[in-house]
Amino acid sequence: MKKQKPDNLKGFNPFNQLPQEIIFTILDLLNSNPLDIKSFSLACKSFYAAESKHRTSLKPLRQEHLPSILSRYPNIAHLHLTRCSRVSDTCLSFVSHACASSLRSIDLSRTHLFSASGLLGLALNCNNLVEIDLSNTTELKDSAMAAVSQAKNLEKLWLARCKSVTDLGVGCVAVGCRKLKSICLKWCLGVGDLGVGLLAVKCNHICYLDLSYLPITSKCLSPILKLQHLEDLVLEGCFGIDDDSLAVLKHGCNSLKSLDVSTCQNISHNGLSSLVSGAVGLQQLTLAHGSPVTSSLADSLKKFSMLQSVKLDGCLISYDGLKTIGNWCASLRELSLSKCSGVTDEGLSSIVTRHKDLRKLDITCCRKITDVSISRITNSCNSLTSLRMESCTLVSREAFVLIGQRCHLLEELDLTDNEIDDKGLKYISRCSQLSNLKLGICLNITDEGLIRIGRGCSKLLELDLYRSVEITDSGIIAIAQGCPGLEMINIAYCKDITDHSLLSLSKCSRLKTLESRGCSMITSLGLTAVAVGCKELTKLDVKKCPNIDDAGMLPLAHFSQNLRQINLSHSSVTDIGLLSLAGISCLQNITILHLKSLTPTGLAAVLLACGGLTKVKLQAEFKWLLPHRLIEHLEARGCTFQWRDKVLQVELDPKCWKLRLEDLMP
């Protein structure tokens, strides 16, 4: 006879006795995996309620879900609406009332439809709002800035590419938001000296200021450099700034720690010499794509004792310039020489032998350096955590052994398009802290070297094997077994990869990105395994995988509920398979070029059913074969179409391509 529970234990839940602080601590530990949090909240009513109170950040997919979501989560402080392509004033009004006391930051970048009215409600009702991101909302005008100016406690404002905003709008912000600390005006082409000058005069607490590509001149620099708390100043692409403009630095800007004057062709060593007396605390300097780096320019900066990071990407650089950098009194931690013409073994060696505390070094496309440089780098800078050396084609296979022998602290290593072989990988596998490894277009590596990496680099998170054509299943299986935390792998055009690789990768439960373009031997069987095992998958590229068909789409639709981006071009997926993807509410970006069995009728049904789509890439022919009203309807819903003018590979009866919108719309 079954034993009965005592009456006093019926309905008893021991978890109800736990203090809320303990439950919140458990939730903090689960934050890295949304699926774990979901499972936790569904365990019992008390956990469901606790998770609702604990959550402070939201990234909803669609604006129509906001009322129910915000009703469940009353303590939202950070709201990211970037995945909602259309956010109306009504939506913002609801947010401003539901989160009136808790909201601290809202991200509206890349969203549309709302106006100054919606922003005004946020500014007036949400008294604790300290950050607004309006980047890429190109339709907003000065009236929107007048609304934002009512947010009296605002500290951070991002307006990148708001090209319709002018000095008048920025002036409103300057007058109304006196507590502003960080502002980005990058590519706000209607803003000039007047607006920037008003910000500098009215907002005395600014510490971060991005003025990239603004039509400003020296007129606004004087008030800017009087800001007592200014630490980061970005002047990238400000062509009106020249040597005379920087002369105002001589009067002092002791708080400045980071200066970016990249793509400023009118700045030479004469202008930079002003930094020496005015910005003595400078720690990071970016001069990328600017004037040639000569000994005079380098010499003008030699007195910066606190300088730690210098970025010279894309500059013409002389040997004397490199040698002078080597003689600086500062001990550099980061140096970027990506695509710098003029970098030689002798010049680079003069730097690394003096700056032995380097942590990050970028010598991408420095095609003149040889084994000599690698020997000097690894011998002097064995504390490197990041080394990027893509396309250093004169470096021989033997040199890569030195990296593994001497630089055991490496976390990031980019060896794309180099001569490294299995012996080099054998020694690099000693870098046990490695988390990001790029081996794209490395034609000399095989499974033997990759097996070594799998055994030695258990912390690997990202692996790029793009077009490393000698890699087969054995190497991928070793990586999957040895690197269980893998989050991204690119095996595109590794022609010998089969389903065995995908079956092994399905054990990597944290995998988020799988790029297997051109792997013609993988099938829907392998894709099914990945869908079942990798529930955090967000990006999938199976372009030119002809054996991927509808059988692979159904498991994706069921298990891969976090999938946001997929490329199915040149596969064997049909209308039916595409339609099954409508069950993935997260799906936003889809590329479907050259699907032989795709019909206008099926495509229209798919586009209507996938309600969260924000970007679709299609052949140009479909632009004329789909009803115009359908395209307008989808664009109004927030979907952007990219049409590719490629010839269809199949012949279809034009009579079958006629379609009426009324046949599809409810």
Side-chain angles (χ1 to χ4, degrees):
M1 185 175 177
K2 190 174 181 180
K3 200 171 184 179
Q4 297 290 327
K5 290 184 180 180
D7 290 341
N8 60 345
L9 292 181
K10 287 183 178 180
F12 174 73
N13 184 349
F15 293 112
N16 289 335
Q17 309 305 311
L18 287 175
Q20 192 175 73
E21 292 77 9
I22 293 179
I23 297 179
F24 282 6
T25 301
I26 295 172
L27 284 166
D28 288 336
L29 296 173
L30 296 177
N31 269 338
S32 60
N33 190 341
L35 295 176
D36 289 343
I37 296 177
K38 183 177 181 180
S39 298
F40 180 94
S41 65
L42 295 176
C44 62
K45 291 183 179 179
S46 60
F47 280 14
Y48 184 90
E51 195 270 331
S52 296
K53 294 179 181 178
H54 176 266
R55 186 183 289 268
T56 58
S57 179
L58 272 181
K59 294 182 180 180
L61 292 170
R62 303 184 194 176
Q63 69 159 2
E64 59 265 28
H65 296 158
L66 272 176
S68 59
I69 293 175
L70 294 179
S71 296
R72 176 182 172 184
Y73 299 108
N75 300 318
I76 295 302
H78 310 285
L79 184 59
H80 306 263
L81 296 175
T82 53
R83 298 175 187 169
C84 304
S85 57
R86 297 283 172 137
V87 176
S88 65
D89 288 338
T90 303
C91 173
L92 292 185
S93 176
F94 185 87
V95 171
S96 66
H97 288 91
C99 306
S101 60
S102 62
L103 193 65
R104 293 184 57 81
S105 70
I106 185 167
D107 189 343
L108 293 164
S109 58
R110 301 185 184 278
T111 58
H112 305 278
L113 201 60
F114 64 90
S115 67
S117 176
L119 291 174
L120 183 61
L122 282 175
L124 293 176
N125 294 328
C126 301
N127 295 325
N128 294 315
L129 192 62
V130 295
E131 181 175 4
I132 301 177
D133 191 341
L134 298 171
S135 301
N136 299 293
T137 51
T138 53
E139 70 281 0
L140 290 184
K141 302 183 183 298
D142 290 337
S143 57
M145 295 302 100
V148 170
S149 70
Q150 299 302 309
K152 303 302 181 182
N153 292 315
L154 198 65
E155 297 179 2
K156 297 179 180 180
L157 179 61
W158 313 103
L159 299 172
R161 293 183 180 84
C162 292
K163 298 181 180 181
S164 298
V165 173
T166 71
D167 288 332
L168 178 61
V170 173
C172 291
V173 171
V175 173
C177 305
R178 298 296 186 91
K179 297 181 180 180
L180 209 59
K181 295 181 179 179
S182 301
I183 184 167
C184 174
L185 297 171
K186 185 175 183 177
W187 283 111
C188 292
L189 300 179
V191 178
D193 290 328
L194 178 60
V196 174
L198 281 171
L199 276 175
V201 172
K202 299 293 184 179
C203 304
N204 298 322
H205 300 286
I206 288 181
C207 59
Y208 174 88
L209 186 58
D210 188 344
L211 306 175
S212 300
Y213 298 98
L214 295 194
I216 58 173
T217 66
S218 58
K219 293 180 181 179
C220 67
L221 276 189
S222 182
I224 287 174
L225 296 173
K226 290 179 182 178
L227 291 167
Q228 296 181 358
H229 303 285
L230 185 64
E231 295 183 355
D232 298 291
L233 178 59
V234 185
L235 299 172
E236 178 183 358
C238 293
F239 302 110
I241 302 298
D242 54 19
D243 289 341
D244 293 335
S245 303
L246 292 184
V248 296
L249 280 167
K250 293 181 179 179
H251 302 296
C253 188
N254 295 331
S255 62
L256 197 64
K257 295 181 180 179
S258 175
L259 176 64
D260 185 345
V261 287
S262 55
T263 323
C264 291
Q265 303 287 344
N266 298 321
I267 294 178
S268 69
H269 66 279
N270 293 320
L272 292 174
S273 63
S274 303
L275 291 171
V276 177
S277 56
V280 293
L282 200 67
Q283 297 177 8
Q284 180 174 325
L285 179 62
T286 303
L287 301 173
H289 307 288
S291 299
V293 181
T294 61
S295 58
S296 298
L297 187 145
D299 190 60
S300 66
L301 305 173
K302 68 181 181 181
K303 295 182 181 179
F304 285 108
S305 60
M306 300 181 68
L307 198 61
Q308 295 183 6
S309 173
V310 176
K311 298 180 181 179
L312 304 171
D313 303 344
C315 290
L316 174 63
I317 190 165
S318 67
Y319 163 69
D320 290 336
L322 289 172
K323 187 176 180 180
T324 304
I325 293 174
N327 292 327
W328 281 355
C329 59
S331 181
L332 291 179
R333 297 297 183 91
E334 180 179 7
L335 177 63
S336 186
L337 301 172
S338 175
K339 300 180 181 178
C340 287
S341 56
V343 177
T344 61
D345 288 334
E346 191 176 7
L348 186 56
S349 297
S350 67
I351 291 179
V352 298
T353 52
R354 294 292 298 273
H355 296 280
K356 296 185 177 182
D357 290 330
L358 272 176
R359 298 293 188 271
K360 296 182 178 181
L361 178 62
D362 191 342
I363 49 175
T364 296
C365 294
C366 291
R367 302 182 188 275
K368 294 182 179 180
I369 67 170
T370 68
D371 297 10
V372 174
S373 289
I374 304 304
S375 178
R376 293 290 177 84
I377 291 170
T378 56
N379 188 53
S380 301
C381 308
N382 45 31
S383 295
L384 279 176
T385 60
S386 174
L387 176 60
R388 298 181 179 181
M389 50 177 295
E390 175 183 348
S391 298
C392 294
T393 50
L394 293 182
V395 176
S396 72
R397 303 181 185 187
E398 290 73 21
F400 296 99
V401 172
L402 300 177
I403 297 174
Q405 286 179 330
R406 299 170 180 174
C407 301
H408 294 162
L409 300 179
L410 278 173
E411 299 173 7
E412 178 185 21
L413 182 60
D414 186 350
L415 302 177
T416 304
D417 190 20
N418 275 294
E419 293 298 316
I420 185 172
D421 60 6
D422 291 336
K423 184 178 180 181
L425 289 183
K426 173 184 175 181
Y427 284 89
I428 286 172
S429 68
R430 298 180 180 181
C431 303
S432 59
Q433 303 301 311
L434 207 59
S435 62
N436 188 327
L437 178 60
K438 294 186 178 181
L439 298 170
I441 325 179
C442 291
L443 306 182
N444 300 317
I445 64 172
T446 69
D447 293 334
E448 180 184 347
L450 212 56
I451 289 171
R452 295 276 189 173
I453 295 295
R455 291 174 180 172
C457 305
S458 60
K459 296 183 179 180
L460 202 62
L461 300 178
E462 298 185 14
L463 177 62
D464 187 347
L465 297 168
Y466 174 79
R467 290 192 185 274
S468 294
V469 293
E470 297 300 319
I471 299 300
T472 70
D473 290 332
S474 298
I476 302 302
I477 291 171
I479 291 295
Q481 292 175 346
C483 311
L486 197 68
E487 296 180 357
M488 187 285 287
I489 187 167
N490 187 343
I491 50 176
Y493 299 104
C494 294
K495 55 184 176 54
D496 294 323
I497 296 297
T498 72
D499 285 341
H500 291 294
S501 289
L502 298 193
L503 288 169
S504 64
L505 289 171
S506 69
K507 308 298 182 184
C508 301
S509 59
R510 296 182 181 177
L511 192 67
K512 294 179 174 63
T513 299
L514 173 60
E515 299 189 34
S516 54
R517 176 181 301 195
C519 295
S520 58
M521 297 175 68
I522 67 172
T523 72
S524 292
L525 177 64
L527 185 57
T528 297
V530 170
V532 173
C534 308
K535 294 182 175 62
E536 294 186 39
L537 194 68
T538 59
K539 180 180 179 182
L540 176 65
D541 187 342
V542 288
K543 179 180 179 180
K544 295 185 179 179
C545 297
N547 294 314
I548 298 294
D549 55 19
D550 294 343
M553 299 301 101
L554 297 174
L556 277 178
H558 185 72
F559 295 102
S560 301
Q561 287 298 307
N562 290 309
L563 192 65
R564 297 193 184 98
Q565 181 176 337
I566 189 169
N567 189 338
L568 298 170
S569 301
H570 295 274
S571 68
S572 298
V573 177
T574 71
D575 299 344
I576 298 173
L578 286 177
L579 194 57
S580 68
L581 298 180
I584 305 177
S585 59
C586 290
L587 190 61
Q588 293 184 307
N589 188 332
I590 186 168
T591 301
I592 39 179
L593 300 172
H594 289 300
L595 295 187
K596 294 181 180 180
S597 300
L598 182 62
T599 66
T601 303
L603 175 59
V606 169
L607 295 176
L608 284 171
C610 296
L613 289 177
T614 58
K615 184 184 294 185
V616 178
K617 190 177 293 185
L618 287 167
Q619 292 162 220
E621 288 83 353
F622 282 109
K623 186 174 184 179
W624 316 112
L625 297 169
L626 292 172
H628 184 64
R629 284 181 58 198
L630 172 63
I631 296 175
E632 287 183 340
H633 169 73
L634 294 169
E635 289 177 337
R637 203 167 66 180
C639 183
T640 300
F641 288 91
Q642 293 184 355
W643 306 102
R644 291 294 178 263
D645 190 13
K646 294 185 178 181
V647 179
L648 286 170
Q649 296 180 346
V650 293
E651 294 289 335
L652 294 177
D653 185 354
K655 294 180 181 179
C656 300
W657 289 57
K658 299 298 181 182
L659 184 65
R660 294 186 308 162
L661 181 62
E662 290 78 5
D663 296 333
L664 296 164
M665 297 289 286

